[in-house]
Amino acid sequence: MRIESELNDYNGRHVKRHEKQVSLAKQLLELEDSEWNKLVDAIASFQVAVPSWALGTGGTRFGRFPAGGEPRNLEEKIEDVGLLHALSKATDSISLHIPWDIPDDVASVKAQLAENHLSIDAVNSNTFQDQKGQDFSYKFGSLCHTDAGVREEAIEHNIEVIRHGEALGSTMLSVWLADGSNFPGQHNFRQAYERTLQSLMKIYAAMPDNWSMLLEYKPYEPNFYSMVLPDWGTSLKMCEACGERADVLVDLGHHLPNTNIEQIVARLTHFGRLGGFHFNGSQYGDDDLTTGSIKPFQLYLIFVELVMAKKDKSVKNPAVAYMIDASHNTKDPLVDLLMSLEQIRIAYAKALLTDFNALHRAQEENDVAGAELILQRAFQSDVRPLLADARLKSGGCVDPIAFFNEARVRENLVSQRGKLSVATGL
Ligand code: RM4
Ligand code: MN
Ligand code: MN
């Protein structure tokens, strides 16, 4: 592949500088070679899925400003994630949204995935839009609807999503519902909850034994008065009622401002029901900004909980599915995703550097300043050379964004796909 020789050439030109930075970082972080290598291995194996709908520009409520060269179909979306993975070695899977990403030819999609060292992450259902030719409308909800016919249609759609996922080798169904009410009095809250739960139970029952269901909550939609699934508590109750293989999905942007998300993460791990993450950045609500762009300290604190849970033998089910769920309006979507991938690994690396034994002691002794200082020490350290080393050792690029710009990747995509190409989906 052309990119491979360009990559080697780029890395070759920058490796001296990288080695200097590695040796300085080892001194600053006071790490022996063996400790450094252990961290590099842990970082290198940390993978985050990219969703098919984040490869093009999203849009505001009033318009969309195409980046140019956006993928036009599933094959081109896989191509883009393949490129992101070749550069970052941090995203070895793609999450699909049905019906936006129904494959025309399953065998060739599978072959293309293998060529790009990718697999299919979760498959996502869509009952927040009406599709052409469907019998009933989701205008007044889907799984919660008062009309059994609408609920049946939405259940059937989810089952169809599972079947597409099975064919492609996925083992996870992600469900996010835009079900809710716009005005007081519109919903009977208790009945809407119950109908949704009954519908979810039917979907759950249709999953193969090795599948799990991820249930995503969200406090509000513009123009909404209530959501059927507004918070982690509701999602947790529904998961518990469905069965062991239903877990809560935390989308960072799906919280009201200043919510203590790290504590929610700790609660869900404590109950053994944290299933997955949608990473993004947010200032006000579901902004879908670059991960870590607004609250990097919170992102670090979330990873502290995740790393601590992994070390704690009493935590059941610590496996978590990681995905980015972002939307891009002004940044190049691929650059934005590379930025998010970097920020996520930075937070993870800092969590790995945290002295958990000392933290535990400080907590037991009620040493408030001491405990905070332990976190600050890890959070303030520069882990970027660790990340670059992990990328290089996995065959990726020492500096993916600089390479992306130098190799004129976007310009090449525009010449192949056109200026006004539109990604299917959002
Ligand atoms: C929602 C939610 C879901 C995603 C859709 C497109 O706000 O975050 O995860 O499937 O957007
Ligand atoms: Mn999401
Ligand atoms: Mn969202």
Side-chain angles (χ1 to χ4, degrees):
M1 252 163 74
R2 200 172 62 93
I3 200 151
E4 266 171 26
S5 66
E6 283 189 37
L7 246 185
N8 286 338
D9 172 62
Y10 184 91
N11 286 340
R13 281 187 281 121
H14 294 85
V15 73
K16 278 248 140 52
R17 185 164 173 265
H18 168 69
E19 279 164 1
K20 199 167 139 200
Q21 284 175 349
V22 167
S23 108
L24 287 171
K26 277 182 191 165
Q27 288 172 45
L28 276 173
L29 298 172
E30 296 173 334
L31 294 170
E32 301 290 333
D33 281 349
S34 60
E35 294 169 313
W36 176 274
N37 293 337
K38 243 179 103 182
L39 285 166
V40 164
D41 287 348
I43 294 165
S45 58
F46 192 82
Q47 301 291 317
V48 181
V50 162
S52 70
W53 60 99
L55 296 159
T57 43
T60 65
R61 283 204 299 134
F62 304 109
R64 193 176 155 270
F65 307 96
E70 294 183 19
R72 294 163 293 187
N73 48 43
L74 180 55
E75 285 70 20
E76 290 181 353
K77 292 175 185 180
I78 295 174
E79 213 173 272
D80 281 7
V81 181
L83 172 77
L84 291 175
H85 190 45
L87 298 182
S88 68
K89 291 290 171 191
T91 176
D92 64 5
S93 60
I94 172 170
S95 183
L96 302 185
H97 228 307
I98 306 293
W100 301 334
D101 300 312
I102 295 179
D104 293 330
D105 178 347
V106 171
S108 90
V109 167
K110 278 180 142 175
Q112 197 199 356
L113 287 167
E115 239 172 72
N116 286 280
H117 311 285
L118 299 174
S119 60
I120 298 290
D121 185 66
V123 282
N124 299 254
S125 55
N126 178 343
T127 60
F128 47 84
Q129 291 174 317
D130 284 348
Q131 306 301 330
K132 259 199 211 122
Q134 75 181 42
D135 295 337
F136 299 95
S137 169
Y138 299 136
K139 179 173 178 179
F140 297 110
S142 61
L143 298 183
C144 80
H145 205 284
T146 47
D147 182 336
V150 182
R151 298 201 296 277
E152 245 352 279
E153 179 178 65
I155 292 166
E156 273 312 311
H157 165 68
N158 274 275
I159 295 173
E160 187 200 324
V161 175
I162 296 169
R163 300 297 165 245
H164 285 299
E166 269 190 289
L168 290 168
S170 172
T171 55
M172 279 180 291
L173 170 72
S174 275
V175 180
W176 173 69
L177 300 172
D179 288 21
S181 74
N182 309 94
F183 294 98
Q186 183 184 337
H187 263 189
N188 178 315
F189 292 142
R190 284 186 295 111
Q191 286 171 7
Y193 173 93
E194 201 48 41
R195 286 193 295 261
T196 305
L197 176 59
Q198 296 307 321
S199 305
L200 282 169
M201 286 167 82
K202 288 190 183 157
I203 297 166
Y204 182 90
M207 287 195 310
D209 291 347
N210 62 337
W211 271 57
S212 53
M213 184 164 90
L214 302 177
L215 198 53
E216 182 175 359
Y217 58 91
K218 182 170 179 176
Y220 70 94
E221 274 293 310
N223 201 28
F224 267 47
Y225 161 68
S226 72
M227 298 288 278
V228 176
L229 244 166
D231 50 36
W232 67 273
T234 306
S235 178
L236 175 66
K237 282 301 268 185
M238 286 190 175
C239 287
E240 285 173 348
C242 280
E244 264 181 11
R245 288 174 293 110
D247 291 313
V248 180
L249 191 152
V250 177
D251 181 314
L252 298 187
H254 290 192
H255 300 90
L256 298 175
N258 301 324
T259 298
N260 186 336
I261 305 175
E262 54 275 28
Q263 191 179 26
I264 295 175
V265 169
R267 285 282 183 277
L268 291 171
T269 36
H270 190 64
F271 300 133
R273 290 284 180 163
L274 179 66
F277 267 95
H278 280 181
F279 289 116
N280 47 47
S282 131
Q283 173 71 13
Y284 301 106
D286 194 28
D287 309 316
D288 283 341
L289 302 174
T290 318
T291 314
S293 58
I294 310 288
K295 292 183 177 165
F297 187 50
Q298 182 180 58
L299 187 63
Y300 160 73
L301 293 174
I302 288 168
F303 272 99
V304 164
E305 293 305 326
L306 293 167
V307 171
M308 237 184 336
K310 248 202 149 157
K311 288 174 184 285
D312 186 341
K313 294 213 166 50
S314 71
V315 173
K316 290 177 276 149
N317 189 19
V320 176
Y322 299 104
M323 192 188 95
I324 293 173
D325 189 5
S327 174
H328 331 277
N329 297 308
T330 50
K331 283 182 187 165
D332 182 306
L334 295 177
V335 171
D336 197 349
L337 289 164
L338 288 170
M339 288 174 80
S340 280
L341 288 168
E342 176 87 354
Q343 286 301 318
I344 293 165
R345 277 191 167 179
I346 283 177
Y348 177 52
K350 289 178 178 183
L352 290 175
L353 279 178
T354 306
D355 186 343
F356 287 104
N357 292 331
L359 180 64
H360 178 69
R361 278 198 303 277
Q363 288 171 344
E364 290 296 304
E365 288 161 12
N366 295 303
D367 178 1
V368 182
E372 190 184 346
L373 283 169
I374 289 160
L375 297 185
Q376 284 294 344
R377 183 163 182 260
F379 176 66
Q380 303 292 357
S381 42
D382 186 356
V383 294
R384 289 171 299 176
L386 268 170
L387 267 68
D389 217 25
R391 272 195 302 274
L392 267 186
K393 287 188 172 141
S394 332
C397 183
V398 65
D399 188 344
I401 294 174
F403 173 86
F404 183 94
N405 292 329
E406 191 186 290
R408 302 180 65 77
V409 174
R410 178 56 61 190
E411 288 78 357
N412 287 336
L413 290 173
V414 171
S415 65
Q416 282 166 33
R417 300 172 182 171
K419 242 183 151 30
L420 292 175
S421 60
V422 177
T424 43
L426 286 179

